[in-house]
Amino acid sequence: MFQKFSEYQKQLFQLYSQQRYSEALRIAEEAGRSFPARAGRTIYWRACLLCRLGKPDEALGVLQEGLRDGHWWHISQLSADADLAPLRDRPEFQGIIAECERRREAAQAQAKPHLQVIEPVGGSTVKTPVLLALHWAAGNVEDFADYWQAAWQQGWLIALPQSSQICSEDGFWWPDYELGRREVLATFERLRQEYVFCADEIVIAGASQGGVLAVRLALEGAIPCRGFLAVVPSLRDHIVEEVIPLLKAAAERGLGGWIITGERDPCLEPTRRFHEQALKHGLRCELFVKPGMGHAFPGDFDTDLLQALAFFKSTTSDHKNR
């Protein structure tokens, strides 16, 4: 049906947000057949959707079979995911959680941060702009790279740091902000040493949890950049309070912000509040709320991305002309 795993994921999340669980289950099954290397993730999706469809016995069987095949999932997902609530009190499910934690600990002991770089055709030069893109929770750089192809086609160098914090067998996340911050700064330093690019044309982007990290790094000035591009950032009220003191100085540096979220995103209200505070403190920041969209990338993201990159160019020009 689709050529990329990210396209299956996008379609599944959209159907889920519309409570079209049977259709989403078919997408999950097709994704599993088309991308066997992503079986751990598609098994988890199937279990969640089967629970939503009132089939907890089938859901438990799917997870048990996946475990026998060597797959595992993060215990915070298994324990807290509302989709799996019908399984929570079952001894078999608790056994799955215990085994997954054992496998996670073994994998975490070997984990290291990773950097994937996609250079423009012909290589990068001193005029090449950089998009530093931070994956969302349970993501990885291989899948996340698909979302930024429109920028690469326009001559941007795409740098994709991957967290060392393991979320699942093929997923990573940023729950420890300070550790994530150190790793991104270290991978950026590696980027500076190994690649040629324009140091004055850097944008930090991210989605969900990675979107919050992108916002904070940009506001702090930890990485010199034009601004942040955040897609469905997982902003919470306490995070908004923490970054408000950074807004005025960021605005004075000429920083810009571009935020895309969904009408049904659970973090919509804190995101609106952050945007209001950004404008109040003089930060040039745009907010786009996509009708009917939940916690996902918009279907027309290529267009959104190119508009955002044009915005950052104009933001820099305006600041230089002050």
Side-chain angles (χ1 to χ4, degrees):
M1 177 186 267
F2 297 118
Q3 294 184 340
K4 297 179 180 178
F5 184 77
S6 59
E7 293 174 320
Y8 279 102
Q9 179 170 278
K10 185 187 301 184
Q11 179 68 10
L12 184 140
F13 286 177
Q14 182 177 349
L15 291 169
Y16 180 92
S17 70
Q18 298 168 355
Q19 300 183 8
R20 295 161 62 183
Y21 302 129
S22 294
E23 295 172 69
L25 179 59
R26 287 195 290 272
I27 292 294
E29 292 169 343
E30 175 63 27
R33 290 189 293 269
S34 300
F35 292 89
R38 295 288 185 268
R41 199 172 305 185
T42 58
I43 287 168
Y44 185 83
W45 291 344
R46 287 166 56 202
C48 290
L49 291 164
L50 285 166
C51 282
R52 286 292 182 183
L53 291 167
K55 300 178 180 180
D57 291 340
E58 290 185 40
L60 186 63
V62 164
L63 291 174
Q64 289 174 324
E65 183 179 357
L67 202 68
R68 287 193 295 270
D69 289 341
H71 302 293
W72 62 273
W73 310 273
H74 201 284
I75 61 169
S76 66
Q77 287 181 293
L78 295 170
S79 301
D81 196 323
D83 293 338
L84 300 178
L87 306 181
R88 203 140 296 149
D89 296 331
R90 297 197 179 194
E92 304 96 325
F93 186 66
Q94 294 304 315
I96 291 173
I97 289 177
E99 177 58 20
C100 285
E101 177 59 9
R102 187 191 69 78
R103 295 182 188 184
R104 185 202 66 81
E105 289 176 352
Q108 185 64 71
Q110 304 297 321
K112 296 179 181 179
H114 171 62
L115 175 65
Q116 178 174 315
V117 177
I118 306 173
E119 287 190 273
V121 176
S124 55
T125 71
V126 293
K127 295 184 178 180
T128 300
V130 174
L131 186 67
L132 186 69
L134 309 179
H135 61 78
W136 49 10
N140 59 61
V141 294
E142 183 179 349
D143 293 339
F144 201 58
D146 290 343
Y147 293 105
W148 312 99
Q149 293 302 306
W152 173 76
Q153 291 167 358
Q154 293 293 315
W156 288 66
L157 182 149
I158 313 299
L160 299 138
Q162 181 171 281
S163 173
S164 70
Q165 301 175 69
I166 293 182
C167 182
S168 64
E169 65 182 58
D170 68 345
F172 302 83
W173 60 346
W174 314 92
D176 184 332
Y177 170 71
E178 290 302 328
L179 176 57
R181 182 181 188 277
R182 290 196 300 271
E183 289 184 356
V184 173
L185 293 181
T187 54
F188 180 71
E189 183 59 30
R190 176 184 159 192
L191 185 74
R192 289 175 54 185
Q193 293 174 2
E194 298 180 5
Y195 294 88
V196 178
F197 57 84
C198 181
D200 294 329
E201 297 195 22
I202 300 169
V203 173
I204 308 178
S208 190
Q209 196 178 61
V212 173
L213 183 55
V215 169
R216 293 180 68 162
L217 288 171
L219 292 179
E220 290 172 3
I223 294 175
C225 64
R226 292 179 176 182
F228 59 84
L229 164 56
V231 182
V232 290
S234 296
L235 289 165
R236 300 290 191 271
D237 287 332
H238 73 277
I239 297 175
V240 175
E241 289 298 324
E242 289 173 3
V243 300
I244 285 175
L246 305 174
L247 291 171
K248 187 174 185 295
E252 290 173 350
R253 295 198 306 272
L255 198 78
W258 188 279
I259 306 171
I260 303 168
T261 192
E263 180 184 39
R264 298 179 180 176
D265 188 274
C267 298
L268 174 60
E269 290 312 312
T271 300
R272 287 189 190 276
R273 182 164 174 258
F274 170 78
H275 178 244
E276 291 169 358
Q277 287 295 321
L279 297 179
K280 179 180 177 181
H281 287 80
L283 190 77
R284 186 179 176 195
C285 185
E286 302 288 344
L287 171 64
F288 299 89
V289 180
K290 298 285 185 173
M293 193 179 86
H295 198 69
F297 270 81
D300 56 348
F301 182 64
D302 283 355
T303 300
D304 292 325
L305 176 56
L306 295 179
Q307 290 175 342
L309 298 180
F311 163 82
F312 289 114
K313 285 187 177 293
S314 65
T315 299
T316 302
S317 298
D318 288 350
H319 183 65
K320 289 180 178 179
N321 292 330
R322 289 180 185 177

